[in-house]
Amino acid sequence: MKALPITKNIWWVGAIDWGARHFHGHTYTTKRGTTYNAYLIIDEKITLIDTVYGPFAAEMMERIKTIVPLEKIDIIIANHIEPDHSGALPELLKHCPQAKVYGSAKAGIGLEQHYHLKLDFQTVKTGDKLSLGKRTLTFIEIPMIHWPDSMMSYLVEEQILFSNDAFGQHYATSERFDDEVPQETLMEEAAKYFANILWPFSHLITKRLAEIEQMNLPIRMIATSHGLSWRKNPDKIVEAYQHWAANETKPKVVIAYETMWGATAKMAQKIAEGIADAGVRYELYDVAQADRTEVIYDMFDAKAYIVGSSNHDSGILPNMVSFMEFLKGLHPRNRIGCAFGSYGWSGVAIQKLETILKEAGVEIVQPALSIQYVPDESQLAQCYEFGKKVATLVLNQ
Ligand code: FEO
């Protein structure tokens, strides 16, 4: 376990979680694993930026010890209290009990409520400066990107922005920088991360990015807390965030459904045909089979969502319930959509789907399409027209 230099006297001392396949409980599938990045700054004050997830405390401490003994750490910056960045803090503090911990006011309260420890905690706010000796850190609070305590730290002399969760990716690699990995994979993982975690905070991200721009901080490197850091082209990810946060879309439709005996699936296929014949790209997912993280990633740039479920008892099929609740929490904006499904004797599921879609912020562009039992030829033609209408609206947006 070695520390890896990111520039002179600044070291990556994080952990690589090659085996992670789930994150935030089971809300995010991390098919490429993840990393928890922590950075050690060697100056008159030995400073650690963030820690790692608790089970990886030993890995982080091993890496630090290749540079300095743990008891030499003077300052720990807690940019964010979520356990993937603060979990190793209690174990680390056993070895450097004199270290002062710096973070936002909300971080101070949150750390106490997580770990119930007596910390030497110093509150900082946007614009505060902290001298490390030859270098200076300045702090930028970014509340609700994505927790109330979230903060970034900027190392003035080196022009490095320690951005914590922002600009990260769940992407375990032996490399540490953007220019060392395939760009397509890097941007896919960065977008997936935004879509599944940061999407609900888009409006705040736009605001905070503008505030950071106004601060006129030259940024040579963005050192993230997950995945690769951006040294070749930090502007690339900042510009991508500006576009993503603006909820820009492509002319594309995602159909997401769950079916009990195949009738709703038949409807979905025919709806898809109508979309394709109108000349619009579509993606079709049975959410009982598909990976939700990937479906959301596909919805991230799609203009329209068509959601379907068979009726089951007095509601929607269970995988679709879970999917719709997740989608609702992401608050997609600037989207259109509609609902469909098959039923036996109560079509309540389809109405419920439409309601949740509306609650998610999607503009309903045509009445829900409900078909009793199995669609016949004329009902399949209705499905075809249903899809075609959405595609036409997508093309006219
Ligand atoms: Fe990577 Fe919000 O924790």
Side-chain angles (χ1 to χ4, degrees):
M1 297 291 174
K2 282 186 184 162
L4 302 169
I6 66 161
T7 193
K8 191 162 181 258
N9 284 329
I10 303 181
W11 302 83
W12 175 87
V13 289
I16 305 176
D17 191 347
W18 294 98
R21 288 298 175 267
H22 299 285
F23 196 79
H24 280 161
H26 276 239
T27 66
Y28 190 129
T29 309
T30 46
K31 72 174 182 189
R32 292 189 171 94
T34 193
T35 76
Y36 315 106
N37 300 337
Y39 300 93
L40 186 70
I41 303 173
I42 304 300
D43 207 314
E44 287 162 30
K45 299 275 187 201
I46 306 292
T47 301
L48 182 68
I49 309 271
D50 289 318
T51 71
V52 298
Y53 183 32
F56 292 83
E59 180 174 337
M60 177 191 74
M61 292 191 295
E62 279 304 304
R63 293 188 199 275
I64 295 171
K65 281 194 280 184
T66 63
I67 308 299
V68 288
L70 298 174
E71 60 269 24
K72 296 280 184 199
I73 296 173
D74 300 297
I75 292 170
I76 300 169
I77 308 294
N79 277 322
H80 181 26
I81 62 166
E82 198 166 2
D84 51 329
H85 307 294
S86 70
L89 189 62
E91 187 57 33
L92 177 66
L93 282 171
K94 288 180 190 165
H95 303 273
C96 52
Q98 82 298 340
K100 286 185 183 346
V101 181
Y102 290 74
S104 65
K106 291 265 168 59
I109 297 164
L111 285 175
E112 165 64 30
Q113 290 170 330
H114 269 80
Y115 303 112
H116 312 288
L117 283 175
K118 194 98 194 101
L119 295 176
D120 185 353
F121 188 83
Q122 314 287 316
T123 300
V124 290
K125 54 187 189 315
T126 297
D128 284 357
K129 292 193 179 343
L130 177 65
S131 173
L132 310 182
K134 294 189 179 64
R135 304 188 192 86
T136 318
L137 277 174
T138 187
F139 304 101
I140 306 163
E141 291 167 281
I142 48 163
M144 294 320 296
I145 303 175
H146 65 129
W147 276 26
D149 57 279
S150 297
M151 182 177 91
M152 295 182 184
S153 301
Y154 177 72
L155 192 60
V156 178
E157 293 77 6
E158 306 283 352
Q159 302 178 354
I160 299 175
L161 182 67
F162 295 98
S163 63
N164 196 263
D165 277 335
F167 312 122
Q169 330 87 44
H170 287 309
Y171 185 7
T173 61
S174 51
E175 294 80 12
R176 301 273 55 86
F177 291 105
D178 55 341
D179 52 297
E180 299 175 308
V181 296
Q183 292 303 292
E184 203 176 323
T185 310
L186 176 64
M187 293 311 289
E188 177 194 321
E189 290 303 334
K192 201 182 298 171
Y193 180 98
F194 191 111
N196 282 276
I197 298 176
L198 299 176
W199 198 355
F201 311 105
S202 293
H203 57 299
L204 289 171
I205 291 171
T206 302
K207 208 169 145 203
R208 299 282 171 246
L209 287 176
E211 284 168 8
I212 293 170
E213 209 170 321
Q214 277 169 9
M215 292 170 89
N216 276 323
L217 305 174
I219 297 172
R220 183 170 67 86
M221 184 192 299
I222 295 176
T224 65
S225 286
H226 292 295
L228 289 307
S229 288
W230 305 84
R231 70 175 172 192
K232 179 155 189 248
N233 194 359
D235 287 348
K236 180 175 178 172
I237 190 64
V238 174
E239 282 161 20
Y241 265 50
Q242 282 163 341
H243 291 297
W244 294 337
N247 270 275
E248 291 175 1
T249 61
K250 292 183 179 147
K252 180 175 117 182
V253 183
V254 171
I255 306 167
Y257 71 93
E258 185 172 7
T259 193
M260 195 155 63
W261 287 107
T264 299
K266 263 190 190 168
M267 292 176 73
Q269 290 288 352
K270 213 64 192 176
I271 290 168
E273 260 182 51
I275 296 166
D277 285 355
V280 171
R281 192 180 148 209
Y282 72 88
E283 303 281 347
L284 181 68
Y285 289 105
D286 174 350
V287 300
Q289 312 297 334
D291 180 311
R292 184 176 58 212
T293 302
E294 300 292 331
V295 183
I296 294 296
Y297 169 57
D298 232 332
M299 290 178 123
F300 186 43
D301 65 357
K303 179 68 189 174
Y305 306 154
I306 305 182
V307 294
S309 174
S310 317
N311 201 92
H312 178 254
D313 293 336
S314 56
I316 303 165
L317 283 169
N319 290 293
M320 201 61 195
V321 172
S322 160
F323 181 82
M324 292 303 292
E325 275 302 310
F326 193 81
L327 179 66
K328 188 168 87 174
L330 295 174
H331 300 302
R333 289 164 194 226
N334 184 30
R335 262 72 178 186
I336 60 172
C338 46
F340 71 98
S342 153
Y343 68 97
W345 50 97
S346 154
V348 70
I350 298 101
Q351 287 311 320
K352 281 187 176 176
L353 271 181
E354 186 182 280
T355 301
I356 303 173
L357 204 54
K358 217 183 286 180
E359 287 168 358
V362 175
E363 182 195 348
I364 305 298
V365 288
Q366 63 179 330
L369 179 60
S370 309
I371 287 173
Q372 194 165 20
Y373 294 123
V374 180
D376 62 15
E377 281 308 313
S378 77
Q379 288 166 325
L380 285 173
Q382 268 182 278
C383 295
Y384 178 86
E385 291 304 324
F386 188 80
K388 207 165 183 177
K389 165 127 190 241
V390 173
T392 309
L393 290 169
V394 164
L395 288 174
N396 291 333
Q397 292 283 323

